[in-house]
Amino acid sequence: MSKIEKAIQERILVLDGAMGTMLQRNNFSEEDFRGERFKNFPHPLKGNNDLLSITQPEAVKAVHRAYFQAGADIVETNTFSGTTIGMADYHLEDLVYELNYQSAKIAREVADEFTDKPRFVAGSIGPTNRTASMSPDVNDPGFRAVTFDELRIAYKQQVEALIDGGSDVLLVETIFDTLNAKAALFAIEEVKEERNLDIPVMVSGTITDASGRTLSGQTVEAFLISISHIPLLSIGFNCALGADQLKPYLKRLAHNTQLNISAHPNAGLPNAFGQYDQTPEEMQALIREYLQDNLINIIGGCCGTTPEHIKLIAEVAKEFKPRPNHLQGFHNLVGVK
């Protein structure tokens, strides 16, 4: 049993908050994103947060450190867009291995600074900016902008680098298309088999609106069944919704699985300017309801959350025991009523 599997049986684990929200506070310019190494790169790089692990590593380390100081048990690597598919927007496909390796290494170094309790690094694997199960062209419903194999190959490269850099767990997150996620999970299983290792895997989907479905149209239950063939450390939801809007879907998840459940909601819904107004105190009160209803094993924050949010979430998490689970083996959903 890995250290994180042991820890999750003993207490509710706290995940970090938003990386982008924190990095934006630096108001980095195009020159800051470039650094010396990419000073003469022929394409714009501003907005490529993953690149900051190479060009502004101390800024990324500072974010990880702030979340650990706030009480997080797990920080996510700065690799949300770290595939050849995501990096194609910036013409940096050749940099993918280094980006992921360096991001994991940075997070690992900061995690090792803290010796009071086990601290963990989650290799963040985002959904990419393409969808494998839907056409982006309304006039050609059969068209696909990416294939399963293209996704699998891209994710495999990312996974190898995240493991090499020191990740304790892999987090396939913000899933809006389960076919994309299945490509990531397939790639992870390939790497595990080739390397004869067993790294824990977390999966976190995204309910996109009040219909209670992912962008590709799956309900909570359908999403769960679609990935039930993979042994997982946890399954859960993040992004798109605030803690109050996300709660009914976590309840449905808890009713239908014995896996550990994770949640990292946004700090409420965005306002007219795309900003998140929910205070740490407001979010803490909503998370307390999750804990009182015994819904979760891992709790953190997504868009708009800061170390101040995570500090109050960590404080309330200490008051409760984790949701009971069956960690040894995974639950077969077929036939579950």
Side-chain angles (χ1 to χ4, degrees):
M1 183 186 294
S2 68
K3 286 183 181 178
I4 196 168
E5 287 169 327
K6 187 170 184 293
I8 205 170
Q9 292 181 333
E10 296 168 352
R11 66 184 191 276
I12 292 169
L13 298 184
V14 177
L15 189 67
D16 63 1
M19 173 63 74
T21 298
M22 294 297 290
L23 290 174
Q24 284 164 16
R25 292 181 173 184
N26 294 286
N27 291 315
F28 285 133
S29 65
E30 175 71 29
E31 289 69 32
D32 294 324
F33 274 90
R34 287 173 175 270
E36 272 303 309
R37 179 168 166 187
F38 300 96
K39 193 173 182 179
N40 299 314
F41 194 72
H43 304 283
L45 295 176
K46 187 175 181 180
N48 186 352
N49 282 348
D50 293 23
L51 183 62
L52 295 173
S53 294
I54 292 175
T55 57
Q56 301 289 339
E58 291 307 315
V60 177
K61 276 188 171 185
V63 175
H64 291 320
R65 195 172 290 117
Y67 281 122
F68 276 136
Q69 288 169 342
D73 298 286
I74 310 166
V75 296
E76 298 177 48
T77 56
N78 180 36
T79 55
F80 187 78
S81 302
T83 60
T84 49
I85 294 167
M87 284 299 123
D89 288 351
Y90 297 96
H91 305 274
L92 289 174
E93 297 96 323
D94 293 343
L95 207 66
V96 163
Y97 182 90
E98 184 183 352
L99 274 175
N100 285 276
Y101 178 85
Q102 181 69 8
S103 294
K105 182 171 172 283
I106 284 171
R108 174 85 273 144
E109 287 171 359
V110 178
D112 291 344
E113 293 174 9
F114 294 82
T115 56
D116 55 333
K117 61 179 179 177
R119 307 289 183 133
F120 304 103
V121 173
S124 172
I125 300 171
T128 81
N129 52 6
R130 300 184 198 172
T131 170
S133 65
M134 296 183 292
S135 172
D137 183 354
V138 293
N139 297 312
D140 187 1
F143 173 73
R144 295 293 181 270
V146 70
T147 66
F148 184 91
D149 256 357
E150 287 169 341
L151 285 164
R152 176 187 63 82
I153 291 164
Y155 280 131
K156 189 174 181 182
Q157 183 182 19
Q158 182 177 31
V159 166
E160 288 172 335
L162 288 171
I163 293 172
D164 291 345
S167 298
D168 300 290
V169 58
L170 298 172
L171 170 56
V172 183
E173 64 167 318
T174 322
I175 298 162
F176 59 78
D177 183 343
T178 309
L179 192 55
N180 287 36
K182 290 179 92 159
L185 293 169
F186 191 98
I188 291 168
E189 292 304 305
E190 269 194 317
V191 175
K192 285 166 65 174
E193 187 174 340
E194 288 171 6
R195 297 189 174 201
N196 193 27
L197 60 81
D198 188 19
I199 186 167
V201 179
M202 298 168 61
V203 162
S204 185
T206 295
I207 300 295
T208 53
D209 56 36
S211 72
R213 295 173 181 266
T214 64
L215 187 64
S216 56
Q218 284 192 311
T219 62
V220 170
E221 294 79 7
F223 171 65
L224 189 52
I225 290 168
S226 292
I227 55 174
S228 65
H229 60 295
I230 299 287
L232 298 173
L233 175 70
S234 67
I235 185 167
F237 292 114
N238 74 290
C239 206
L241 302 176
D244 47 349
Q245 293 90 6
L246 192 59
K247 186 179 177 184
Y249 308 117
L250 290 172
K251 279 189 168 181
R252 283 164 59 181
L253 197 58
H255 180 70
N256 283 295
T257 185
Q258 297 176 54
L259 287 169
N260 296 303
I261 290 179
S262 73
H264 49 298
N266 292 346
L269 296 175
N271 61 26
F273 302 101
Q275 304 298 312
Y276 295 85
D277 299 324
Q278 193 169 78
T279 66
E281 291 76 15
E282 289 168 341
M283 194 168 184
Q284 182 192 48
L286 294 166
I287 297 302
R288 183 182 290 277
E289 293 179 17
Y290 286 14
L291 301 164
Q292 288 170 337
D293 290 353
N294 210 17
L295 293 179
I296 50 173
N297 304 87
I298 302 173
I299 183 67
C302 204
C303 304
T305 56
T306 64
E308 290 75 26
H309 289 83
I310 298 305
K311 184 175 187 291
L312 294 193
I313 288 171
E315 285 177 7
V316 74
K318 286 179 185 174
E319 301 173 21
F320 294 86
K321 294 189 183 304
R323 174 180 177 271
N325 65 78
H326 296 265
L327 196 57
Q328 310 304 322
F330 60 96
H331 190 46
N332 183 354
L333 283 158
V334 177
V336 169
K337 299 291 186 250

